[in-house]
Amino acid sequence: MYSAAALALDVPDALAPRLLCVEVYQAKPLSYLTETAAALLVELASAAVFVPATTRTREQYGRIRLPGPPPRYAVCANGGHLLVDGESDPDWHRGVRQALSTECAGLAEIRAHLVATADPAWLLKERSAEDLFAYLVVERALLPDGWVRELTEWAEQRGWGVSLQGRKLYVVPRPLTKSAAVAEVARRTGAQRVLGAGDALLDADLLLAADQGWRPGHGELAEANWSAPHVSALAERGVAAGEEILRQFLKAAGGSS
């Protein structure tokens, strides 16, 4: 799903695909799939256990209305919450909190550093997500050269990672991973094979842990020319990449498309 700015439509308007809005925010349409992708997603849900895995908070994920039956499992807050039928699994979340308390610096230290080093000239918002990680909303064009690199080096020394996605800069503890939560879903469902897709640095651990993966032609991973032997790099970008990833999922899962 993509915002209007991220659709990456590269055809004349008259040839653009029909779009389905799957997220509304403050009474305005925000995120879209193509109608073709929506149909593929419905087909995929009947061929495999479909698990949305996102850095979004539970509230942000709750705005999404994907076609097809609601997924039984979903991963929110980059693995901080494992949703089962829409509710966070308390045992999973308790284990995550324990790992964070012992394996990396605390969130308060990270947020204090961000506030102290960010310049109001380009900082729009500073937030924490579910009290698990921090993020900034920035004017990306105004970010000073080297600032993200310096932040990354500082954060790594404290067991945290940095990801810049559009106007959002995430600072996330290393123990907080999508791959661990997805592995737990695989254990509970008895899945023998995991397929994954993602475009950001925060998706790299999930792609590496998957048996087969795909990354689109846009995003942090494409910009870094990131690769792994079992991860296919697609040329498609934006909503076209969304469609192609779903086709590849269905083929790998034994679906008809």
Side-chain angles (χ1 to χ4, degrees):
M1 47 180 277
Y2 300 86
S3 68
L7 292 173
L9 297 174
D10 57 1
V11 296
D13 291 347
L15 301 178
R18 286 166 58 96
L19 299 174
L20 174 68
C21 178
V22 292
E23 181 184 16
V24 172
Y25 179 56
Q26 295 181 344
K28 297 178 181 179
L30 182 62
S31 300
Y32 304 86
L33 301 175
T34 66
E35 289 189 349
T36 298
L40 292 169
L41 189 56
V42 172
E43 189 176 351
L44 178 64
S46 65
V49 178
F50 170 58
V51 184
T54 178
T55 306
R56 285 171 173 252
T57 64
R58 288 172 291 169
E59 179 182 0
Q60 292 166 340
Y61 173 72
R63 296 197 301 255
I64 301 171
R65 293 293 181 267
L66 295 175
R72 172 141 197 232
Y73 296 98
V75 175
C76 292
N78 212 64
H81 288 280
L82 174 56
L83 304 188
V84 183
D85 295 328
E87 299 295 330
S88 179
D89 183 307
D91 292 334
W92 175 262
H93 185 63
R94 190 177 304 113
V96 169
R97 289 286 186 187
Q98 183 175 1
L100 297 185
S101 69
T102 59
E103 298 178 23
C104 59
L107 176 61
E109 178 183 352
I110 303 302
R111 294 188 71 184
H113 180 79
L114 289 173
V115 171
T117 59
D119 189 331
W122 48 261
L123 176 62
L124 302 178
K125 296 178 183 178
E126 185 274 332
R127 296 286 188 272
S128 70
E130 306 253 21
D131 288 326
L132 290 167
F133 61 89
Y135 68 93
L136 307 180
V137 181
V138 302
E139 288 287 2
R140 185 162 177 167
L142 299 180
L143 277 174
D145 292 341
W147 188 84
V148 174
R149 183 182 67 253
E150 292 173 4
L151 175 63
T152 300
E153 293 171 353
W154 179 89
E156 284 179 348
Q157 296 172 9
R158 289 155 179 81
W160 290 62
V162 175
S163 174
L164 180 60
Q165 303 174 35
R167 296 199 308 161
K168 286 189 176 180
L169 184 140
Y170 297 92
V171 189
V172 179
R174 291 293 186 192
L176 190 67
T177 66
K178 296 172 185 171
S179 59
V182 169
E184 175 62 12
V185 175
R187 185 191 68 81
R188 296 186 188 190
T189 60
Q192 300 298 307
R193 195 158 178 247
V194 174
L195 311 175
D199 62 6
L201 287 175
L202 292 175
D203 298 316
D205 71 280
L206 177 59
L207 292 173
L208 290 172
D211 296 293
Q212 189 174 358
W214 293 265
R215 71 156 174 84
H218 65 261
E220 283 182 302
L221 296 180
E223 291 169 4
N225 200 29
W226 184 93
S227 65
H230 63 289
V231 177
S232 299
L234 303 176
E236 291 86 353
R237 303 172 67 252
V239 286
E243 282 189 17
E244 183 58 25
I245 287 169
L246 287 168
R247 291 190 184 96
Q248 295 298 327
F249 275 175
L250 274 165
K251 288 178 183 178
S256 61
S257 294

